[in-house]
Amino acid sequence: MGLCLPCPTEAAPPSPDLEEKRAKLAEAAERRQKEAASRGILNVQSVEEKRKKKEKIEKEMATSGRPPEGGLRWTVS
């Protein structure tokens, strides 16, 4: 068995710059997160719109303190 070492005349392959490597890793992580978020969803835009609408309604309810008109009412007869 022998050792596999690079020839002394060959220069080592240039390693990517640290900032460049970090940028590539960040880009790959964002892409993976986006793919994971949309896994199993046929229409991503409609899901995003529904999520934003729900957040808007929750935000309005939190600021107003009372439920908006047209909500459920409890009546006792």
Side-chain angles (χ1 to χ4, degrees):
M1 289 208 257
L3 296 174
C4 296
L5 300 172
C7 295
T9 57
E10 290 182 17
S15 62
D17 186 25
L18 187 58
E19 290 181 24
E20 182 180 324
K21 186 175 181 179
R22 285 182 183 163
K24 285 183 180 181
L25 289 172
E27 183 181 317
E30 288 176 10
R31 187 174 61 246
R32 283 193 304 272
Q33 287 178 346
K34 184 184 265 189
E35 289 173 358
S38 65
R39 184 169 290 139
I41 300 173
L42 296 177
N43 192 349
V44 178
Q45 281 183 327
S46 67
V47 173
E48 285 293 317
E49 289 173 5
K50 288 178 185 178
R51 184 185 58 80
K52 287 179 183 178
K53 185 177 179 181
K54 182 179 177 183
E55 287 177 357
K56 181 181 174 187
I57 291 171
E58 288 176 354
K59 190 175 185 181
E60 288 176 359
M61 287 180 68
T63 57
S64 69
R66 59 171 235 213
E69 293 298 320
L72 297 176
R73 295 184 183 167
W74 184 273
T75 57
V76 178
S77 46

